[in-house]
Amino acid sequence: MKIAVAGASGRAGSEITKELSRRGHAVTAIARNPEKIATLPNVASTKGDVLDQAGLARLWAGHDVAVSSVHFLASDPLKLIGAAKASGVGRYLVVGGAGSLEVAPGVKLVTTPGFPAQYKAEAEAGGAFLELLRQEKDLNWTFISPSALFIEGERTGKFRLGTDQLLADATGKSWISFADYAIALADEIERPAHLRQRFTVGY
């Protein structure tokens, strides 16, 4: 498939680009500083700005799938959604956040007392993005929330999927590596199972 990745130089975006390359997809890797994107088979790096809706739509046009892996506070969800719709891509996948996941019925992680204050604005912006997507009638979107800790780590291929509830391991730790998250995202592209839905991945 032809897949465009915005934010391809970031920690999650670079692992997603690497995973898609490994699987033989033709990837257009987009970043403000494309020289920071690793040289990989099947990957063409290009300069792009996620705040330039028309420019991003042009970069995404002609692809089967567009992925945005960008910080919520450094982007505009209306522009991203607009670019996805204008580009005519078949699917739009968003690297989401954990803050909007529930830790109990009706209780979102971002509202819990222990949620780090420095991440709250970003988490709330991610939740607002998800709500905008849920109102979309025409766009074929998927929002993929990582677990609470989204960190560097091994590519194990062993993880669980969930829907709107935060996943945690037997010790109560909620985490996922960028590499394993990238596997879950690539799997969703190849075998669609969550069309117009949010899902989460964790150990």
Side-chain angles (χ1 to χ4, degrees):
M1 276 186 270
K2 291 185 69 178
I3 304 168
V5 180
S9 64
R11 292 188 298 173
S14 59
E15 287 294 337
I16 290 164
T17 301
K18 191 187 302 181
E19 184 65 31
L20 294 171
S21 167
R22 179 184 279 122
R23 298 184 187 209
H25 295 291
V27 182
T28 300
I30 302 163
R32 279 177 301 183
N33 299 296
E35 66 277 4
K36 294 182 179 178
I37 299 170
T39 300
L40 294 165
N42 313 309
V43 174
S45 300
T46 190
K47 185 178 178 66
D49 183 351
V50 294
L51 292 173
D52 176 5
Q53 181 175 324
L56 192 60
R58 285 193 295 272
L59 289 174
W60 282 351
H63 292 82
D64 302 300
V65 179
V67 178
S68 65
S69 178
V70 294
H71 289 292
F72 301 120
L73 293 177
S75 57
D76 180 339
L78 291 173
K79 289 183 177 180
L80 289 167
I81 291 168
K85 291 164 76 170
S87 71
V89 291
R91 290 191 72 192
Y92 175 51
L93 279 74
V94 177
V95 176
S100 57
L101 292 166
E102 292 185 344
V103 294
V107 180
K108 294 177 181 176
L109 178 63
V110 69
T111 67
T112 57
F115 195 87
Q118 66 267 36
Y119 300 129
K120 192 162 188 177
E122 177 77 10
E124 288 174 344
F129 195 163
L130 176 59
E131 291 312 310
L132 283 173
L133 287 169
R134 284 174 167 161
Q135 294 165 27
E136 278 298 321
K137 299 291 186 285
D138 303 320
L139 189 61
N140 191 3
W141 61 272
T142 302
F143 187 97
I144 309 173
S145 289
S147 289
L149 296 175
F150 196 19
I151 54 178
E152 304 286 350
E154 288 185 72
R155 181 184 185 273
T156 68
K158 298 174 182 176
F159 48 80
R160 294 180 295 147
L161 302 182
T163 52
D164 291 316
Q165 288 74 44
L166 185 74
L167 295 173
D169 66 15
T171 67
K173 184 178 179 182
S174 174
W175 65 297
I176 188 70
S177 71
F178 295 115
D180 278 339
Y181 176 97
I183 294 176
L185 183 143
D187 287 349
E188 176 64 27
I189 288 174
E190 293 177 347
R191 298 185 298 279
H194 302 88
L195 300 179
R196 295 187 174 87
Q197 295 175 51
R198 184 257 292 278
F199 74 96
T200 186
V201 55
Y203 297 124

